[in-house]
Amino acid sequence: MNQRNKKYLWGAIQQTGDELKGRLPEDPRHPSGRNPYAHVASCLREHFKCSYKDLPDDLLDDALRFLESLKS
């Protein structure tokens, strides 16, 4: 993914994390609370089988739609 798209996608990940703050279920492995930003990045990695940084540019729209689905 080119640098511009990486920055744009990272901003969308941060925005999604902001919206998920306080909405993730509690987990005994995270006694201090869950990190919504790490959760979003982990979901992206699991769904696309690679880091957001390694996604091809043509999957940017798919990644953004996936992030929107995480918010609901």
Side-chain angles (χ1 to χ4, degrees):
M1 182 171 288
N2 69 44
Q3 199 63 23
R4 191 176 118 240
N5 285 346
K6 249 187 252 188
K7 278 186 158 185
Y8 185 78
L9 184 54
W10 177 245
I13 289 170
Q14 289 178 313
Q15 182 182 16
T16 302
D18 288 343
E19 292 189 30
L20 291 179
K21 269 186 187 172
R23 291 180 45 201
L24 295 174
E26 290 184 21
D27 188 313
R29 295 173 293 176
H30 304 283
S32 301
R34 293 180 63 187
N35 180 336
Y37 309 102
H39 175 75
V40 171
S42 175
C43 288
L44 265 174
R45 190 178 318 108
E46 184 178 319
H47 183 77
F48 290 100
K49 307 296 184 224
C50 65
S51 167
Y52 79 94
K53 296 176 186 178
D54 298 326
L55 281 174
D57 286 317
D58 62 330
L59 288 180
L60 178 62
D61 290 335
D62 293 339
L64 294 172
R65 278 192 293 274
F66 180 75
L67 292 176
E68 281 299 316
S69 73
L70 287 179
K71 294 177 188 179
S72 49

